[in-house]
Amino acid sequence: MAANYWESTQRKHWLFTKDELAAMRAKLEAEDANLVASFPLPQLRHLNIYFNQQINRIGKRLGIRQQALATAQVYIKRFYTKVEIRRTNPHHVIVTALYLACKMEECPQHIRIMANEARTFWPADFQSQTDVARIGECEFYLISEMSSHLIVHSPYRTLTSLQGELGLAQEDVNLAWSVINDHYMTDLPLLYPPHVIALTAILLALVLRQDPSGRLPGTAASNSGLAAASAALAQAQARAAMMAGGGQTVSGLAHQSSSGLQAMLPPQSPAGEGPAEGTKNPRMAKVHRFAAWLSDSNIDIEAMVDCTQELISFYECHEQYNDKNTREQINRFVKARGLDK
């Protein structure tokens, strides 16, 4: 992988604004208006959830590293900004993207093994000896549409490199890692740099309550979690402005942000005493430390705010996901257009 993200093709060619992304997708649909009208699909987030689940199913069977699973999802996102989904068989694209990602992330899988696994999961779409050739053809199609830009920088490296500096416990890192995994089911990989995603994941890991399993709860999109994250980012912004010579008004804002943040998190015990009743970890101190670290950096806080809101919205959307409906709508256009042959 190229060491310098700032000189990468990812930054130069595969980061868009929300308006640019919407315009690209609208153009694809306009070019195939009759096709789009004939075969309605679930919302894009639900399609991304479906793609994520299918990639994880194959990855689990073959023991593929998370980095390759993530890269495959980015390839799919990039490809479908260039090609209307109803013109493809998504199962062919999923398998091919994962096959290509494994090669790029230096954990290659034999193409015949990938074809066999695909035949296990989707026998209607992979049922002949031409499957290997089909994956090979689809691979060239993906590479061409992505203009051979195959190196993907992910947020995982930033997360692990900051663990010591930010004083993150392993539980914090594990939860942030899960948030990063989840962000691949959103448009965020096409909207923001990986370090912004990683820092947003750390923030959410620190402010969102965990269930006993250590996973994000089903109600992770709660207003309290969003409010706490927003308060932490406001505190970082206020502190940065104050250090730049803001004055009393900014100082007051910093105090308000800190107070708002404290109201959203477990109570801190008085100095010199044990933990407050019901509080078993210094979450508050970690969040304040993180906010202070952000204020001393050149991180785009507004981008983190948007990432936070997008992830919270995604968790709400995830609760309405219907796997059966999504699968049926995909299979409908695949069979109707003969894309399973």
Side-chain angles (χ1 to χ4, degrees), residues 72-295:
Q73 292 176 83
V74 174
Y75 286 169
I76 293 172
K77 291 181 188 299
R78 292 181 178 182
F79 179 71
Y80 282 134
T81 64
K82 303 291 186 180
V83 179
E84 219 295 312
I85 185 173
R86 296 166 183 84
R87 289 192 168 277
T88 71
N89 184 328
H91 297 144
H92 294 167
V93 175
I94 289 170
V95 173
T96 304
L98 185 55
Y99 170 66
L100 180 58
C102 286
K103 291 201 290 187
M104 291 304 300
E105 298 298 342
E106 300 180 350
C107 54
Q109 297 288 329
H110 197 285
I111 192 169
R112 293 190 180 279
I113 293 177
M114 296 296 292
N116 289 338
E117 290 300 322
R119 203 173 295 123
T120 299
F121 289 118
W122 307 293
D125 297 328
F126 295 88
Q127 51 187 327
S128 68
Q129 297 302 315
T130 62
D131 290 341
V132 169
R134 180 176 294 159
I135 293 175
E137 291 173 3
C138 192
E139 179 184 12
F140 283 108
Y141 190 16
L142 259 69
I143 293 173
S144 175
E145 293 298 334
M146 293 190 294
S147 303
S148 300
H149 300 154
L150 303 180
I151 294 176
V152 175
H153 294 258
S154 73
Y156 300 111
R157 179 178 296 180
T158 300
L159 172 62
T160 55
S161 66
L162 289 176
Q163 180 177 3
E165 185 174 349
L166 297 176
L168 302 176
Q170 190 57 46
E171 292 78 7
D172 301 325
V173 173
N174 292 343
L175 186 55
W177 190 283
S178 295
V179 174
I180 292 175
N181 292 347
D182 292 342
H183 103 281
Y184 286 106
M185 291 179 275
T186 73
D187 282 336
L188 291 178
L190 300 177
L191 297 173
Y192 295 107
H195 68 277
V196 172
I197 306 297
L199 292 170
T200 302
I202 291 171
L203 174 63
L204 289 176
L206 293 177
V207 302
L208 292 177
R209 293 185 181 277
Q210 303 177 42
D211 64 17
S213 69
R215 296 186 179 189
L216 284 169
T219 56
S222 63
N223 290 334
S224 61
L226 177 58
S230 298
L233 293 172
Q235 181 184 350
Q237 284 180 308
R239 180 185 171 95
M242 184 168 53
M243 292 175 63
Q248 183 62 37
T249 300
V250 175
S251 178
L253 177 59
H255 175 72
Q256 293 172 14
S257 300
S258 178
S259 299
L261 177 60
Q262 187 163 356
M264 297 297 170
L265 295 171
Q268 287 285 86
S269 58
E273 296 183 12
E277 185 176 355
T279 302
K280 300 298 184 183
N281 59 77
R283 279 204 308 144
M284 185 65 166
K286 287 184 179 180
V287 175
H288 278 301
R289 178 177 179 179
F290 183 57
W293 184 90
L294 285 176
S295 67

Side-chain angles (χ1 to χ4, degrees), residues 25-41 84-87 337:
R25 289 167 174 163
K27 181 180 178 182
L28 288 177
E29 292 191 351
E31 291 172 350
D32 292 297
N34 292 334
L35 186 61
V36 172
S38 300
F39 301 104
L41 288 175
E84 219 295 312
I85 185 173
R86 296 166 183 84
R87 289 192 168 277
R337 304 196 68 238

Side-chain angles (χ1 to χ4, degrees), residues 40-43 46-47 50 320-332:
L41 288 175
Q43 62 172 288
H46 287 180
L47 290 174
Y50 179 78
Q320 280 77 52
Y321 173 69
N322 186 313
D323 183 76
K324 182 174 181 292
N325 180 61
T326 303
R327 186 185 303 272
E328 287 177 350
Q329 288 185 284
I330 290 175
N331 288 337
R332 179 170 171 263

